Short mmCIF file of all heavy atoms in Angstrom, two decimals:
data_model
loop_
_atom_site.label_atom_id
_atom_site.label_comp_id
_atom_site.label_asym_id
_atom_site.label_seq_id
_atom_site.Cartn_x
_atom_site.Cartn_y
_atom_site.Cartn_z
N ALA A 1 -41.73 56.70 9.32
CA ALA A 1 -42.07 57.73 10.30
C ALA A 1 -41.17 57.61 11.54
O ALA A 1 -40.65 58.62 12.06
CB ALA A 1 -43.54 57.61 10.71
N ALA A 2 -40.96 56.38 12.00
CA ALA A 2 -40.12 56.15 13.18
C ALA A 2 -38.69 56.62 12.92
O ALA A 2 -38.06 57.27 13.77
CB ALA A 2 -40.14 54.66 13.55
N LEU A 3 -38.17 56.33 11.72
CA LEU A 3 -36.79 56.73 11.39
C LEU A 3 -36.68 58.25 11.23
O LEU A 3 -35.67 58.84 11.63
CB LEU A 3 -36.31 56.01 10.13
CG LEU A 3 -36.06 54.50 10.32
CD1 LEU A 3 -35.81 53.83 8.98
CD2 LEU A 3 -34.89 54.23 11.27
N ALA A 4 -37.71 58.88 10.67
CA ALA A 4 -37.70 60.35 10.56
C ALA A 4 -37.63 60.96 11.96
O ALA A 4 -36.89 61.91 12.20
CB ALA A 4 -38.96 60.83 9.83
N LEU A 5 -38.37 60.38 12.91
CA LEU A 5 -38.34 60.87 14.30
C LEU A 5 -36.98 60.63 14.95
O LEU A 5 -36.47 61.48 15.69
CB LEU A 5 -39.42 60.17 15.13
CG LEU A 5 -40.86 60.64 14.87
CD1 LEU A 5 -41.86 59.70 15.53
CD2 LEU A 5 -41.09 62.08 15.37
N LEU A 6 -36.37 59.48 14.65
CA LEU A 6 -35.05 59.17 15.22
C LEU A 6 -33.99 60.17 14.73
O LEU A 6 -33.18 60.68 15.51
CB LEU A 6 -34.64 57.73 14.87
CG LEU A 6 -33.25 57.27 15.32
CD1 LEU A 6 -33.09 57.39 16.84
CD2 LEU A 6 -32.98 55.81 14.89
N VAL A 7 -34.01 60.47 13.42
CA VAL A 7 -33.05 61.45 12.88
C VAL A 7 -33.30 62.82 13.52
O VAL A 7 -32.36 63.52 13.91
CB VAL A 7 -33.15 61.53 11.33
CG1 VAL A 7 -32.21 62.63 10.82
CG2 VAL A 7 -32.81 60.20 10.68
N TYR A 8 -34.57 63.17 13.65
CA TYR A 8 -34.96 64.46 14.27
C TYR A 8 -34.42 64.53 15.71
O TYR A 8 -33.82 65.52 16.11
CB TYR A 8 -36.48 64.58 14.24
CG TYR A 8 -37.06 65.86 14.78
CD1 TYR A 8 -36.56 67.11 14.41
CD2 TYR A 8 -38.14 65.85 15.68
CE1 TYR A 8 -37.10 68.29 14.92
CE2 TYR A 8 -38.70 67.02 16.17
CZ TYR A 8 -38.17 68.23 15.79
OH TYR A 8 -38.72 69.40 16.29
N GLU A 9 -34.63 63.45 16.45
CA GLU A 9 -34.16 63.41 17.85
C GLU A 9 -32.63 63.58 17.91
O GLU A 9 -32.09 64.31 18.75
CB GLU A 9 -34.58 62.06 18.48
CG GLU A 9 -34.15 61.93 19.93
CD GLU A 9 -33.23 60.77 20.20
OE1 GLU A 9 -32.70 60.14 19.26
OE2 GLU A 9 -32.99 60.51 21.39
N GLN A 10 -31.92 62.89 16.99
CA GLN A 10 -30.45 62.98 16.98
C GLN A 10 -29.98 64.37 16.56
O GLN A 10 -28.99 64.89 17.08
CB GLN A 10 -29.88 61.91 16.04
CG GLN A 10 -30.03 60.49 16.58
CD GLN A 10 -29.24 60.25 17.86
OE1 GLN A 10 -28.08 60.62 18.00
NE2 GLN A 10 -29.88 59.65 18.84
N PHE A 11 -30.70 65.00 15.63
CA PHE A 11 -30.37 66.37 15.20
C PHE A 11 -30.52 67.33 16.39
O PHE A 11 -29.67 68.19 16.62
CB PHE A 11 -31.29 66.78 14.04
CG PHE A 11 -31.14 68.21 13.63
CD1 PHE A 11 -30.10 68.59 12.78
CD2 PHE A 11 -32.01 69.20 14.09
CE1 PHE A 11 -29.94 69.93 12.40
CE2 PHE A 11 -31.86 70.54 13.71
CZ PHE A 11 -30.83 70.89 12.87
N LEU A 12 -31.62 67.18 17.15
CA LEU A 12 -31.83 68.03 18.33
C LEU A 12 -30.70 67.84 19.34
O LEU A 12 -30.21 68.80 19.93
CB LEU A 12 -33.18 67.69 18.99
CG LEU A 12 -34.45 68.04 18.18
CD1 LEU A 12 -35.67 67.44 18.86
CD2 LEU A 12 -34.62 69.56 18.03
N LYS A 13 -30.30 66.59 19.51
CA LYS A 13 -29.21 66.26 20.44
C LYS A 13 -27.92 67.00 20.05
O LYS A 13 -27.23 67.58 20.89
CB LYS A 13 -28.99 64.73 20.40
CG LYS A 13 -28.23 64.19 21.61
CD LYS A 13 -28.27 62.66 21.52
CE LYS A 13 -27.49 61.95 22.45
NZ LYS A 13 -27.61 60.47 22.22
N ILE A 14 -27.61 66.96 18.73
CA ILE A 14 -26.41 67.66 18.22
C ILE A 14 -26.51 69.16 18.51
O ILE A 14 -25.53 69.83 18.81
CB ILE A 14 -26.22 67.37 16.70
CG1 ILE A 14 -25.86 65.89 16.49
CG2 ILE A 14 -25.17 68.29 16.08
CD1 ILE A 14 -25.98 65.40 15.04
N LYS A 15 -27.74 69.69 18.45
CA LYS A 15 -28.00 71.12 18.70
C LYS A 15 -28.12 71.45 20.21
O LYS A 15 -28.49 72.58 20.58
CB LYS A 15 -29.31 71.55 18.01
CG LYS A 15 -29.24 71.55 16.48
CD LYS A 15 -28.70 72.85 15.97
CE LYS A 15 -28.64 72.99 14.52
NZ LYS A 15 -27.82 74.07 14.05
N ASN A 16 -27.90 70.42 21.05
CA ASN A 16 -28.05 70.57 22.51
C ASN A 16 -29.47 70.95 22.93
O ASN A 16 -29.69 71.73 23.86
CB ASN A 16 -27.05 71.59 23.07
CG ASN A 16 -25.63 71.03 23.03
OD1 ASN A 16 -25.42 69.86 23.34
ND2 ASN A 16 -24.67 71.85 22.64
N LEU A 17 -30.45 70.43 22.20
CA LEU A 17 -31.86 70.67 22.53
C LEU A 17 -32.46 69.36 23.06
O LEU A 17 -32.03 68.27 22.70
CB LEU A 17 -32.63 71.14 21.29
CG LEU A 17 -32.14 72.49 20.72
CD1 LEU A 17 -32.68 72.70 19.31
CD2 LEU A 17 -32.54 73.65 21.62
N LYS A 18 -33.50 69.49 23.91
CA LYS A 18 -34.06 68.30 24.56
C LYS A 18 -35.22 67.71 23.75
O LYS A 18 -36.19 68.42 23.43
CB LYS A 18 -34.56 68.68 25.96
CG LYS A 18 -33.42 68.90 26.97
CD LYS A 18 -34.00 68.98 28.38
CE LYS A 18 -32.91 69.06 29.45
NZ LYS A 18 -32.28 70.34 29.46
N TRP A 19 -35.12 66.42 23.48
CA TRP A 19 -36.14 65.70 22.72
C TRP A 19 -37.53 65.82 23.39
O TRP A 19 -38.54 66.04 22.72
CB TRP A 19 -35.68 64.24 22.58
CG TRP A 19 -36.71 63.26 22.09
CD1 TRP A 19 -37.11 62.12 22.72
CD2 TRP A 19 -37.43 63.29 20.84
NE1 TRP A 19 -38.03 61.45 21.96
CE2 TRP A 19 -38.26 62.16 20.80
CE3 TRP A 19 -37.48 64.20 19.77
CZ2 TRP A 19 -39.11 61.89 19.74
CZ3 TRP A 19 -38.33 63.93 18.71
CH2 TRP A 19 -39.12 62.79 18.70
N GLN A 20 -37.55 65.74 24.71
CA GLN A 20 -38.83 65.81 25.44
C GLN A 20 -39.59 67.10 25.12
O GLN A 20 -40.82 67.10 25.09
CB GLN A 20 -38.62 65.75 26.98
CG GLN A 20 -37.92 64.57 27.51
CD GLN A 20 -36.42 64.74 27.53
OE1 GLN A 20 -35.82 64.70 26.47
NE2 GLN A 20 -35.82 64.94 28.71
N ASP A 21 -38.84 68.18 24.89
CA ASP A 21 -39.49 69.48 24.63
C ASP A 21 -40.14 69.54 23.24
O ASP A 21 -40.95 70.42 22.97
CB ASP A 21 -38.47 70.63 24.73
CG ASP A 21 -37.86 70.74 26.12
OD1 ASP A 21 -38.44 70.13 27.05
OD2 ASP A 21 -36.79 71.39 26.27
N TYR A 22 -39.75 68.64 22.38
CA TYR A 22 -40.21 68.70 20.98
C TYR A 22 -41.10 67.51 20.60
O TYR A 22 -41.74 67.54 19.55
CB TYR A 22 -38.99 68.73 20.02
CG TYR A 22 -38.21 70.02 20.06
CD1 TYR A 22 -37.29 70.27 21.07
CD2 TYR A 22 -38.41 71.00 19.10
CE1 TYR A 22 -36.58 71.46 21.10
CE2 TYR A 22 -37.70 72.19 19.12
CZ TYR A 22 -36.78 72.41 20.13
OH TYR A 22 -36.08 73.60 20.16
N ARG A 23 -41.08 66.48 21.44
CA ARG A 23 -41.70 65.21 21.06
C ARG A 23 -43.19 65.33 20.71
O ARG A 23 -43.63 64.86 19.66
CB ARG A 23 -41.50 64.17 22.18
CG ARG A 23 -41.93 62.75 21.75
CD ARG A 23 -41.51 61.71 22.78
NE ARG A 23 -42.12 61.99 24.07
CZ ARG A 23 -41.73 61.50 25.22
NH1 ARG A 23 -40.73 60.67 25.25
NH2 ARG A 23 -42.32 61.80 26.35
N GLU A 24 -43.97 65.95 21.58
CA GLU A 24 -45.43 66.01 21.36
C GLU A 24 -45.76 66.72 20.05
O GLU A 24 -46.60 66.27 19.27
CB GLU A 24 -46.13 66.71 22.54
CG GLU A 24 -46.17 65.87 23.82
CD GLU A 24 -46.55 64.40 23.58
OE1 GLU A 24 -47.61 64.19 22.97
OE2 GLU A 24 -45.78 63.49 23.96
N ASN A 25 -45.11 67.84 19.85
CA ASN A 25 -45.35 68.62 18.63
C ASN A 25 -44.93 67.83 17.38
O ASN A 25 -45.61 67.86 16.35
CB ASN A 25 -44.59 69.94 18.72
CG ASN A 25 -45.01 70.90 17.61
OD1 ASN A 25 -46.18 70.98 17.25
ND2 ASN A 25 -44.06 71.59 17.02
N ALA A 26 -43.82 67.09 17.50
CA ALA A 26 -43.33 66.27 16.38
C ALA A 26 -44.37 65.22 16.00
O ALA A 26 -44.64 65.00 14.80
CB ALA A 26 -42.01 65.60 16.75
N LEU A 27 -44.97 64.56 16.99
CA LEU A 27 -45.98 63.54 16.71
C LEU A 27 -47.20 64.15 16.02
O LEU A 27 -47.73 63.59 15.06
CB LEU A 27 -46.42 62.85 18.01
CG LEU A 27 -45.38 61.88 18.60
CD1 LEU A 27 -45.81 61.40 19.97
CD2 LEU A 27 -45.16 60.70 17.68
N LYS A 28 -47.64 65.30 16.51
CA LYS A 28 -48.79 66.01 15.89
C LYS A 28 -48.49 66.30 14.42
O LYS A 28 -49.29 66.07 13.53
CB LYS A 28 -49.05 67.34 16.63
CG LYS A 28 -50.13 67.22 17.68
CD LYS A 28 -50.47 68.59 18.26
CE LYS A 28 -50.86 68.46 19.69
NZ LYS A 28 -50.57 69.58 20.52
N ARG A 29 -47.31 66.85 14.20
CA ARG A 29 -46.91 67.24 12.85
C ARG A 29 -46.87 66.03 11.92
O ARG A 29 -47.37 66.07 10.80
CB ARG A 29 -45.52 67.89 12.92
CG ARG A 29 -45.38 69.09 12.13
CD ARG A 29 -44.06 69.75 12.26
NE ARG A 29 -44.22 71.09 12.80
CZ ARG A 29 -43.25 72.00 12.87
NH1 ARG A 29 -42.08 71.71 12.45
NH2 ARG A 29 -43.47 73.22 13.35
N LEU A 30 -46.27 64.96 12.43
CA LEU A 30 -46.08 63.77 11.62
C LEU A 30 -47.42 63.11 11.28
O LEU A 30 -47.63 62.64 10.17
CB LEU A 30 -45.17 62.79 12.36
CG LEU A 30 -44.40 61.78 11.52
CD1 LEU A 30 -43.70 62.39 10.36
CD2 LEU A 30 -43.41 61.01 12.39
N ASN A 31 -48.31 63.08 12.25
CA ASN A 31 -49.62 62.47 12.00
C ASN A 31 -50.47 63.25 11.00
O ASN A 31 -51.41 62.70 10.43
CB ASN A 31 -50.38 62.28 13.33
CG ASN A 31 -49.88 61.04 14.08
OD1 ASN A 31 -49.45 60.07 13.47
ND2 ASN A 31 -49.93 61.08 15.41
N ALA A 32 -50.12 64.49 10.78
CA ALA A 32 -50.83 65.30 9.77
C ALA A 32 -50.23 65.09 8.37
O ALA A 32 -50.76 65.59 7.38
CB ALA A 32 -50.75 66.77 10.15
N PHE A 33 -49.12 64.32 8.30
CA PHE A 33 -48.42 64.11 7.03
C PHE A 33 -49.26 63.23 6.08
O PHE A 33 -49.79 62.21 6.47
CB PHE A 33 -47.06 63.44 7.29
CG PHE A 33 -46.27 63.17 6.04
CD1 PHE A 33 -45.45 64.15 5.50
CD2 PHE A 33 -46.31 61.93 5.40
CE1 PHE A 33 -44.70 63.90 4.35
CE2 PHE A 33 -45.57 61.68 4.26
CZ PHE A 33 -44.77 62.67 3.74
N LYS A 34 -49.36 63.65 4.84
CA LYS A 34 -50.10 62.89 3.83
C LYS A 34 -49.13 62.09 2.97
O LYS A 34 -48.21 62.69 2.38
CB LYS A 34 -50.93 63.82 2.93
CG LYS A 34 -52.06 64.57 3.70
CD LYS A 34 -53.30 63.69 3.86
CE LYS A 34 -54.43 64.38 4.57
NZ LYS A 34 -54.23 64.51 6.03
N ILE A 35 -49.31 60.78 2.94
CA ILE A 35 -48.47 59.93 2.08
C ILE A 35 -48.70 60.35 0.62
O ILE A 35 -49.84 60.57 0.20
CB ILE A 35 -48.81 58.43 2.26
CG1 ILE A 35 -48.64 58.01 3.72
CG2 ILE A 35 -48.00 57.55 1.31
CD1 ILE A 35 -47.27 57.92 4.26
N GLY A 36 -47.64 60.45 -0.16
CA GLY A 36 -47.75 60.91 -1.56
C GLY A 36 -48.58 59.94 -2.41
O GLY A 36 -48.82 58.79 -2.04
N SER A 37 -49.03 60.43 -3.54
CA SER A 37 -49.82 59.59 -4.44
C SER A 37 -48.97 58.44 -5.02
O SER A 37 -47.72 58.52 -5.04
CB SER A 37 -50.44 60.42 -5.56
OG SER A 37 -49.53 61.29 -6.08
N HIS A 38 -49.65 57.39 -5.45
CA HIS A 38 -49.04 56.19 -6.06
C HIS A 38 -48.23 55.34 -5.09
O HIS A 38 -47.41 54.53 -5.50
CB HIS A 38 -48.21 56.56 -7.30
CG HIS A 38 -48.87 57.57 -8.19
ND1 HIS A 38 -50.08 57.32 -8.81
CD2 HIS A 38 -48.53 58.85 -8.52
CE1 HIS A 38 -50.43 58.40 -9.50
NE2 HIS A 38 -49.51 59.33 -9.33
N LYS A 39 -48.44 55.59 -3.77
CA LYS A 39 -47.81 54.74 -2.75
C LYS A 39 -48.93 54.14 -1.90
O LYS A 39 -49.53 54.81 -1.07
CB LYS A 39 -46.89 55.56 -1.83
CG LYS A 39 -45.70 56.16 -2.51
CD LYS A 39 -44.89 56.92 -1.50
CE LYS A 39 -44.26 58.13 -2.05
NZ LYS A 39 -43.59 58.97 -1.09
N MET A 40 -49.28 52.93 -2.17
CA MET A 40 -50.34 52.24 -1.42
C MET A 40 -51.60 53.12 -1.30
O MET A 40 -52.24 53.21 -0.26
CB MET A 40 -49.85 51.83 -0.04
CG MET A 40 -48.77 50.75 -0.07
SD MET A 40 -49.39 49.20 -0.77
CE MET A 40 -50.46 48.65 0.57
N GLU A 41 -51.92 53.77 -2.42
CA GLU A 41 -53.06 54.70 -2.43
C GLU A 41 -54.35 53.93 -2.73
O GLU A 41 -54.52 53.38 -3.81
CB GLU A 41 -52.80 55.77 -3.51
CG GLU A 41 -53.73 56.94 -3.45
CD GLU A 41 -53.41 57.96 -4.54
OE1 GLU A 41 -52.32 57.88 -5.16
OE2 GLU A 41 -54.29 58.80 -4.78
N GLU A 42 -55.24 53.89 -1.76
CA GLU A 42 -56.47 53.11 -1.89
C GLU A 42 -57.59 53.94 -2.51
O GLU A 42 -57.76 55.11 -2.16
CB GLU A 42 -56.92 52.58 -0.51
CG GLU A 42 -55.87 51.62 0.12
CD GLU A 42 -56.34 51.01 1.44
OE1 GLU A 42 -57.49 51.28 1.86
OE2 GLU A 42 -55.57 50.21 2.03
N PHE A 43 -58.36 53.36 -3.40
CA PHE A 43 -59.55 54.01 -3.95
C PHE A 43 -60.54 52.92 -4.37
O PHE A 43 -60.18 51.75 -4.48
CB PHE A 43 -59.20 54.95 -5.13
CG PHE A 43 -58.64 54.26 -6.35
CD1 PHE A 43 -59.42 54.04 -7.47
CD2 PHE A 43 -57.31 53.82 -6.39
CE1 PHE A 43 -58.91 53.41 -8.60
CE2 PHE A 43 -56.79 53.18 -7.52
CZ PHE A 43 -57.59 52.98 -8.62
#
């Protein structure tokens, strides 16, 4: 998750967009992400 955010931040930088303007929304979006099945899936 941290690396996905870092790439996102760098992509915004290349596009001349400000990370601060996108950060909160990015965290919300990422926290809603569901880890795929068969990866540390508890039952």
Side-chain angles (χ1 to χ4, degrees):
L3 289 171
L5 285 168
L6 177 58
V7 176
Y8 182 48
E9 181 241 11
Q10 290 296 314
F11 174 82
L12 292 170
K13 199 172 172 181
I14 292 166
K15 291 274 183 196
N16 289 319
L17 297 164
K18 286 192 174 73
W19 168 236
Q20 302 88 287
D21 299 344
Y22 290 80
R23 189 171 60 197
E24 288 316 306
N25 191 39
L27 287 173
K28 263 187 213 150
R29 224 177 241 189
L30 204 48
N31 280 329
F33 180 85
K34 295 278 181 285
I35 303 289
S37 45
H38 317 298
K39 295 181 215 173
M40 293 297 288
E41 192 180 346
E42 297 185 3
F43 65 103

